[in-house]
Amino acid sequence: DRTHLPFDVHLMMNNPLEYLNDFVDTGADIITVHAEVLPHLHGAVQQIKRMGVKAAVSLNPSTPLHVLDYVMEDLDMVLLMSVNPGFGGQQFIPATMDKIRELNRKIDASGLEIDIQVDGGISIDNIREISLAGANVFVAGSAIFNSCNPKEMIKRMRRKAEER
């Protein structure tokens, strides 16, 4: 055990189910798979849950939320990509804000407890607005690792996200 923090594994690949055992064996606490590459999304989510880890589904920017309709009750987290997957440093896609709000409403209406994670273009300038829209887990690679002081940037971003 190297950390008490959750080991969140985002499998941004075409055949994620082939690698589940490897990631669970190395200590994954939550595994995220992309809806766009899984023809049997419900089965994939069930397989992850049977392995004793939390299950999350990621949606690319143009993938509609209704893809989650029949798996929501089995999810621990939904990851909304706010850039097109592929490389770091991209700008946040503004339409993602409406998608976060809509997902937040769906979760509230369902009575479920599901985290909303957002990945891509997260910065000190937009994290508060993204948080207010309903996200509570943030992936901010470039904003942190391109800063002069990553540890201080994390603290600043956390404070900004918690402002109400």
Side-chain angles (χ1 to χ4, degrees):
D1 290 330
R2 295 183 180 240
T3 181
H4 64 281
L5 299 171
F7 185 22
D8 178 359
V9 179
H10 179 179
L11 300 181
M12 194 182 303
M13 57 179 67
N14 286 327
N15 299 304
L17 301 183
E18 292 178 26
Y19 301 93
L20 289 182
N21 286 328
D22 295 329
F23 285 102
V24 170
D25 290 346
T26 59
D29 296 301
I30 184 164
I31 294 179
T32 304
V33 293
H34 276 257
E36 297 83 4
V37 300
L38 292 165
H40 306 290
L41 184 59
H42 183 266
V45 169
Q46 291 301 309
Q47 185 174 345
I48 293 167
K49 299 292 273 190
R50 279 194 304 274
M51 298 177 91
V53 297
K54 292 181 177 181
V57 170
S58 179
L59 301 179
N60 286 335
S62 64
T63 302
L65 291 176
H66 71 76
V67 168
L68 303 171
D69 285 352
Y70 298 100
V71 296
M72 288 268 293
E73 63 195 28
D74 298 312
L75 296 179
D76 298 287
M77 184 169 71
V78 174
L79 166 54
L80 297 179
M81 294 298 300
S82 47
V83 297
N84 290 301
F87 59 92
Q90 296 181 63
Q91 293 297 309
F92 182 88
I93 297 172
T96 307
M97 293 303 296
D98 290 335
K99 197 172 186 180
I100 297 166
R101 287 185 196 98
E102 183 181 345
L103 177 58
N104 192 41
R105 283 191 296 271
K106 279 180 89 126
I107 292 169
D108 284 349
S110 73
L112 299 169
E113 290 188 31
I114 300 172
D115 289 319
I116 299 176
Q117 183 177 60
V118 179
D119 182 353
I122 308 292
S123 71
I124 192 74
D125 298 323
N126 64 13
I127 195 166
R128 180 174 184 269
E129 184 181 3
I130 295 165
S131 175
L132 289 172
N136 65 330
V137 181
F138 310 91
V139 179
S142 297
I144 293 168
F145 296 109
N146 291 342
S147 71
C148 296
N149 186 338
K151 187 175 180 179
E152 181 59 29
M153 180 57 75
I154 291 169
K155 288 179 185 177
R156 288 179 58 213
M157 291 182 84
R158 181 173 281 142
R159 282 193 303 270
K160 198 82 161 160
E162 292 172 352
E163 284 179 9
R164 291 290 165 212

